[in-house]
Amino acid sequence: MDERPIGVFDSGLGGLTTVRELRRLLPGEDIVYFGDTGRVPYGGRSAETIVKYARQDVAFLRTFDLKAIVIACGTVSTTALEVLAAENPIPVLGVVAPAAAAAARATKNGRIGLIGTQASIRSGAYERLIQAQNPAAQVLSQPCPLFVPLVENGRFRRGDIVIETVAAEYLAPLREAGVDTLVLGCTHYPLLEEVISAHMGPEVALINAGAEGARAVACALEGADALSARSRGTYRYFVSDRQEDFSHLASIFLGWDVTEAVGQVDISQY
Amino acid sequence: MDERPIGVFDSGLGGLTTVRELRRLLPGEDIVYFGDTGRVPYGGRSAETIVKYARQDVAFLRTFDLKAIVIACGTVSTTALEVLAAENPIPVLGVVAPAAAAAARATKNGRIGLIGTQASIRSGAYERLIQAQNPAAQVLSQPCPLFVPLVENGRFRRGDIVIETVAAEYLAPLREAGVDTLVLGCTHYPLLEEVISAHMGPEVALINAGAEGARAVACALEGADALSARSRGTYRYFVSDRQEDFSHLASIFLGWDVTEAVGQVDISQY
């Protein structure tokens, strides 16, 4: 039993889709969330910059006495997980290994599609992890740099010609290659599940990296006997830019209304 | 006569459209350009964060012995110009006042449209400057948060259904309001001139803030007898994230091939 909170961070607000899944699985856990809204997005930046930013995000979260840190960001998970895990004495868990494992299990024809940010694709992390478990698997990757800004501007609903056109272009090579499994490798993408599923067809299994990450956290804490005994946890939210828009946007990602106060952090000081 | 270089900065690469105009007007000037690609975009961030980032950008540029600094960024010009001008002993020139003056002169019916980032619109800077020169002018503003990511992803050409749809939505209220002048208040937007002009109609005058800014710099230097006597200047480029993609993207904004080496700067150290 461990009543300390779980720290969760993302480059922005997409990681709240992982918080949503964590609350579903572990309603008794306290969560401290940090979204680096002052420097979002990370997905087009260099590995060096992403590692630097992620270290500061973790340093801020560790001002709380945490039992674990969840990297609720596909880009940081692919690019900085090993460094962060090596540098910190508490477990640091990402979304990539769980999603890669789920994809390796789900595929029947051995052809797995992967969509994510440019940095995530460039890292090659998904390919390595999938092929470690299923050496015959082929991974076809497609960076989707416009998905994050489109989701953040509310363009994620079916029938919106803008997201439908962009999704059709990004997904066509994966559909034509006959993938039977598609990894949504960025925590913003669950909001696009309906759009993506319509383009890929109902027979293609979608793997939600953030949700797989949340399941892995639940297993890890249970295995270490580190779950909380509370029936209901609390939520604290911090961002690195202005707090005004947070409640509105956050509720889209979380699926519930945010009523808590939101803290602002000067992240460059960490 | 002053042979020192002009410093030019932007949140990213959009400001290169101003460098393009500066070279056309002042081919003998040396230019030092800084693009904050590690923290781009600024346009959705708070005023506090924008001022902080802009101070660091100027501090880096001032490691060179400059004769003037040009803020080739609509967002910084609307949000941080006064602070930067007050803090620095060399002239700091933005793109807003020149563009506002050009719009106030150009309008016949007194209805001026303004498109820009959320931060630029929120600042109210254009309204204040336009109405100072033309108190009867009405300014109708429309934030266009998707224009920057769409341009950066190469979606700025006529006939692209994505940019055409987004442009039609953003511009419809301005067209319906009957504006006869439209300020392109962000240095990325000159690449969208054809798309915007097609939606607004040929009778609407488009004011390119970056180009107006470049003209104002040329006048200011000439008035102070501070132009260079060279026939051809040199160009130095610096960015805060990886340099790999710079030459390709920069040549789109500049309209010529970039062959110079590009420097990388740890901007958080300034």
Side-chain angles (χ1 to χ4, degrees), chain A residues 37-41 44-46 48-49 52-53 118 122 145-146 149-150 153 155 161-162 165-166 169-170 240-242 245 264 266 268-269, chain B residues 37-41 44-46 48-49 52-53 118 122 145-146 149-150 153 155 161-162 165-166 169-170 240-242 245 264 266 268-269:
Chain A
T37 53
R39 301 186 298 199
V40 72
R45 309 203 193 281
S46 67
E48 185 191 354
T49 295
K52 179 179 148 191
Y53 288 179
Q118 277 154 326
R122 207 164 42 218
L146 278 169
L150 289 172
N153 282 280
R155 306 201 85 120
I161 183 83
V162 172
T165 302
V166 171
E169 283 179 29
Y170 286 155
S240 53
D241 202 344
R242 70 176 185 286
D245 305 335
Q264 194 176 348
D266 182 357
S268 67
Q269 300 304 308
Chain B
T37 54
R39 301 186 298 198
V40 70
R45 310 204 193 281
S46 66
E48 186 191 352
T49 295
K52 180 179 147 189
Y53 288 179
Q118 279 155 325
R122 209 165 40 221
L146 278 170
L150 289 172
N153 282 279
R155 305 200 85 120
I161 183 82
V162 171
T165 303
V166 171
E169 283 180 29
Y170 286 155
S240 54
D241 202 345
R242 70 175 185 288
D245 305 335
Q264 193 175 347
D266 182 356
S268 66
Q269 299 305 306

